[in-house]
Amino acid sequence: DVCAQLASFEDLPIAGSLITPPYYVRPSQQGIVEFYKEIAAATKTPLIVYDVPYRTGVQMELETLRRLADIPAVCAIKDCGGDARKTQALIADRRLSVLSGEDHLIFSTIAQGGAGAIAASAHLHPGLFVEMYRALNAGEIERARAIHHSLAAMIEALFEESNPVPLKSVLGELGRGHGVVRKPLLAASPRVAKRAREEYEAVASLSNLFSRA
């Protein structure tokens, strides 16, 4: 189970563990709280709650997330919940570090005071994602907005088919890994693979515009 897996990692230099609520069984809100309490009691590793209802089938309510914030081991949330009001409330609450899990919402999450992101698309041009983060935290809104818009088409292309299929395709072409996904995922269609690579290259041609002197 999850507790046993985490126990096997205790001696590794892990910064934190990203944990979804149980999928398929659709537990109650109280069941979700008890799940995280049990995990927190079984590990010394900081826990990041992964709120991703379109993959788990479990909707975590705002009050549930606030209760999870009371658990000392729970330090952050990867926010894929798709509820802007819930995101804003969690940022305002300040007890959890709110990390955008929706790549197209990184700009808005950080602009509101979010702590950052866990972003699949940041495997490509990671320096630009870091620069957008730094610009936002420095109050350089126009610069951050320009970077955000420069990345938008690439991010859209990388999610045209199930993540990480288009991303793996580009990484494979760049020699960063083998580019293969495990079944039941299938390789990117030729059109999607071509578009993802083209958008990656388009960002590369713009990246010098955002370099600092």
Side-chain angles (χ1 to χ4, degrees), residues 105-176:
L105 297 178
I106 294 172
F107 176 90
S108 60
T109 297
I110 298 173
Q112 291 183 82
I118 298 176
S121 53
H123 285 81
L124 304 177
H125 302 295
L128 284 180
F129 286 87
V130 171
E131 184 56 32
M132 179 171 64
Y133 169 84
R134 289 175 175 168
L136 281 166
N137 281 296
E140 300 172 357
I141 300 300
E142 291 299 329
R143 178 179 176 80
R145 184 182 293 122
I147 296 172
H148 166 67
H149 286 307
S150 77
L151 292 168
M154 184 186 78
I155 291 171
E156 181 183 347
L158 292 176
F159 287 87
E160 186 171 353
E161 293 178 350
S162 294
N163 179 53
V165 170
L167 173 64
K168 287 270 194 174
S169 173
V170 178
L171 289 173
E173 289 185 26
L174 296 174
R176 302 176 191 171

Side-chain angles (χ1 to χ4, degrees), residues 42-108:
T43 182
K44 299 176 183 177
T45 303
L47 302 179
I48 304 170
V49 175
Y50 191 177
D51 185 15
V52 57
Y54 56 82
R55 289 190 183 271
T56 63
V58 176
Q59 186 75 47
M60 287 194 279
E61 297 173 2
L62 175 59
E63 184 55 35
T64 299
L65 292 167
R66 285 174 169 156
R67 292 175 66 192
L68 294 181
D70 289 331
I71 302 172
V74 176
C75 62
I77 178 171
K78 180 178 179 181
D79 179 23
C80 296
D83 185 336
R85 288 175 294 183
K86 189 164 71 175
T87 299
Q88 183 180 25
L90 290 170
I91 292 171
D93 184 84
R94 295 183 178 276
R95 288 182 295 163
L96 294 176
S97 295
V98 178
L99 304 167
S100 177
E102 297 293 329
D103 294 14
H104 62 287
L105 297 178
I106 294 172
F107 176 90
S108 60

